[in-house]
Amino acid sequence: MDMKSSSDGKEILPFFVMDFVMPSEKIALNIFEPRYRLMVRRVMEGNHRMGMVGIDVQTGTIADVACEVEITECQPLPDGRFYLEIEGRRRCHLVKTWDQDGYRVGEVTWFKDKVVDDGASLAELRSTAESAANLARLWITEASQRDSHNGLVDRLNEAPSTNDPELFSFWVATLLHLPSGEKLRLLRLTDTRERLAQDLIFLRSWTSRGCRLQ
């Protein structure tokens, strides 16, 4: 299924309704429901992209914010299931959704954080991102010394540059065992500074309690 546009210029995206994914986040999926098998086959015939979205616990319905993901690996299995590896790309607002052959399809608009224009504010953002990077690096190093097979060093090697504070703020969030409500809150934010500040709060809380990062 190629990305389509509606009559008013909004784009249409098929959705896998499970949980929230952050930009740059990489996860593996096992697709077994017939409706999603059909969706994956259609997505793989197109641009290999779909949406990932969770349920807003405040409303009990599909959230109004989601993330486009790209299928980077698709392995059909003998019993008809698919093993997928996906990576988060762009955030989107869901303008409206409907059922199509059993799965959800949504009309979406794309959004990013507010642009920081002046040099001083951008330097401050990058400095905050560096603080988060140092704290994450310290924790990952200590955790890997306790368990060299936890894969955290690989996560550290995949970290985006702090010169892109917005993307880096999402990468930090992927390290943490955040509940769906917190993931949704971070996805909705359009202020990179605010998201980085929240990242630091989470990191300091986790490290002070000796918790494991994912």
Side-chain angles (χ1 to χ4, degrees), residues 47-70:
N47 63 4
H48 298 189
R49 299 200 176 198
M50 62 184 185
M52 284 283 294
V53 69
I55 301 298
D56 184 344
V57 295
Q58 300 296 321
T59 64
T61 60
I62 292 175
D64 60 342
V65 169
C67 186
E68 176 196 50
V69 301
E70 181 178 1

Side-chain angles (χ1 to χ4, degrees), residues 165-188:
E166 178 180 350
L167 188 60
F168 185 82
S169 72
F170 284 116
W171 176 82
V172 173
T174 68
L175 295 174
L176 306 166
H177 293 278
L178 296 178
S180 291
E182 290 293 349
K183 291 180 183 178
L184 178 57
R185 186 165 69 87
L186 293 181
L187 282 171
R188 281 177 172 154

Side-chain angles (χ1 to χ4, degrees), residues 135-136 139-140 143 152 175-177 203 206-207 211-214:
L135 191 56
W139 174 251
I140 287 174
L152 289 174
L175 295 174
L176 306 166
H177 293 278
L203 280 170
W206 280 65
T207 52
C211 298
R212 286 180 63 92
L213 300 182
Q214 289 182 334

Side-chain angles (χ1 to χ4, degrees), residues 18-100:
M18 186 187 75
D19 198 1
F20 301 101
V21 172
M22 302 288 182
S24 83
E25 185 171 8
K26 298 178 181 180
I27 62 173
L29 297 174
N30 181 26
I31 305 298
F32 59 88
E33 292 185 59
R35 56 178 174 159
Y36 288 130
R37 293 186 202 175
L38 172 62
M39 187 184 78
V40 167
R41 286 195 294 269
R42 290 173 172 173
V43 168
M44 293 306 295
E45 291 172 356
N47 63 4
H48 298 189
R49 299 200 176 198
M50 62 184 185
M52 284 283 294
V53 69
I55 301 298
D56 184 344
V57 295
Q58 300 296 321
T59 64
T61 60
I62 292 175
D64 60 342
V65 169
C67 186
E68 176 196 50
V69 301
E70 181 178 1
I71 299 175
T72 57
E73 181 176 336
C74 179
Q75 181 180 348
L77 302 176
D79 60 2
R81 291 178 296 125
F82 288 99
Y83 169 81
L84 303 182
E85 292 183 4
I86 65 172
E87 184 170 354
R89 299 302 186 200
R90 299 179 289 177
R91 287 179 291 165
C92 58
H93 288 293
L94 280 72
V95 179
K96 62 180 179 180
T97 67
W98 61 91
D99 282 329
Q100 177 176 298

